[in-house]
Amino acid sequence: MQDNLNNVTLALAGMLQSVALVRELTQTGKTNPAPYEASIQSIFSLDVNSVPEVFGGIEGVKLGLEKILLAFDTTQTPDRLQNRYLLSLIHLQKKLSRSPKILHALMKRLQQIQKQANYFSITHPTVIANLADTYLSTISTFHFRVVILGSQRVMNAKENMEKVRALLLAGVRAAVLWRQVGGSRLQILFSRAKIKACAEKLLIQLNDHLVLEKDPV
């Protein structure tokens, strides 16, 4: 039970991390490099043995876990924009699960882009541009659009919008994972305390691990 809760929490953190990076990017034109790379890497992490491996370890979704603590804090005013983005990712995942042709096309494109990522790097502009184009040719063909809000000056820059679309693709990937491990909207509504406690525990474990790596006994 605990392992399943950990998996659901980590996958949810993956979604919230993508949302957080999209918001940061559209407001400032910048992203935190470490979580950005982890989120983009997760798009290609399809043949793995565990949920943490999708993000390169728990550290890969540290930002997302922190966002869970804020989102599920009953003393905080609900973040309506964050919730809207999150529900949009869940909705897109549902549409994707019912569209085998789109899913097949998406997987085929990702296999091709993986070769570029191996040659260049995960976050190389060419890789990001191709991920953005893949999002447009697959996910964006659904009769549903994620309305992105932010600085018009920032979003007018082509490279920024390519990053946004790549991050949305990472968010959908996390949503797919979330469903696969048993995530549901009912959990978000009625198991918030359990998920928040799990996120706190995972962050403590991560911080303890990082301390040991820094100062080995």
Side-chain angles (χ1 to χ4, degrees), residues 59-109:
E59 186 175 0
V61 282
K62 182 174 184 289
L63 174 62
L65 291 170
E66 292 169 347
K67 291 300 178 181
I68 287 179
L69 300 189
L70 291 174
F72 290 2
D73 185 343
T74 56
T75 66
Q76 298 291 321
T77 302
D79 189 330
R80 295 183 183 278
L81 182 58
Q82 175 179 266
N83 292 340
R84 193 173 79 187
Y85 285 162
L86 179 63
L87 291 176
S88 293
L89 293 176
I90 293 172
H91 187 66
L92 287 172
Q93 177 277 324
K94 189 174 183 180
K95 282 187 167 293
L96 182 62
S97 69
R98 296 176 176 177
S99 307
K101 289 184 179 180
I102 297 295
L103 180 58
H104 177 74
L106 174 59
M107 297 300 291
K108 188 173 181 180
R109 285 293 301 272

Side-chain angles (χ1 to χ4, degrees), residues 56-213:
I58 297 175
E59 186 175 0
V61 282
K62 182 174 184 289
L63 174 62
L65 291 170
E66 292 169 347
K67 291 300 178 181
I68 287 179
L69 300 189
L70 291 174
F72 290 2
D73 185 343
T74 56
T75 66
Q76 298 291 321
T77 302
D79 189 330
R80 295 183 183 278
L81 182 58
Q82 175 179 266
N83 292 340
R84 193 173 79 187
Y85 285 162
L86 179 63
L87 291 176
S88 293
L89 293 176
I90 293 172
H91 187 66
L92 287 172
Q93 177 277 324
K94 189 174 183 180
K95 282 187 167 293
L96 182 62
S97 69
R98 296 176 176 177
S99 307
K101 289 184 179 180
I102 297 295
L103 180 58
H104 177 74
L106 174 59
M107 297 300 291
K108 188 173 181 180
R109 285 293 301 272
L110 290 180
Q111 289 174 356
Q112 295 170 348
I113 301 172
Q114 175 73 75
K115 297 176 183 178
Q116 292 180 326
N118 293 339
Y119 182 77
F120 295 108
S121 69
I122 287 295
T123 57
H124 189 278
T126 299
V127 174
I128 298 302
N130 281 311
L131 287 175
D133 184 65
T134 297
Y135 180 86
L136 286 174
S137 64
T138 57
I139 306 298
S140 278
T141 62
F142 296 133
H143 295 298
F144 178 82
R145 293 289 185 274
V146 182
V147 179
I148 302 297
L149 301 179
S151 164
Q152 200 60 47
R153 176 187 60 80
V154 171
M155 294 195 296
N156 280 340
K158 180 183 177 184
E159 62 270 23
N160 288 336
M161 288 312 298
E162 288 175 341
K163 289 179 181 179
V164 165
R165 293 184 180 107
L167 285 168
L168 289 176
L169 190 57
V172 173
R173 192 275 178 269
V176 169
L177 179 65
W178 178 70
R179 285 292 191 189
Q180 288 173 336
V181 297
S184 71
R185 292 178 65 168
L186 287 178
Q187 286 178 330
I188 294 177
L189 291 173
F190 300 114
S191 300
R192 298 169 73 87
K194 289 182 179 180
I195 293 173
K196 181 174 180 286
C198 184
E200 289 175 335
K201 183 178 179 180
L202 289 169
L203 282 169
I204 290 172
Q205 291 176 357
L206 175 60
N207 290 332
D208 288 346
H209 176 71
L210 293 176
V211 168
L212 286 174
E213 280 193 338

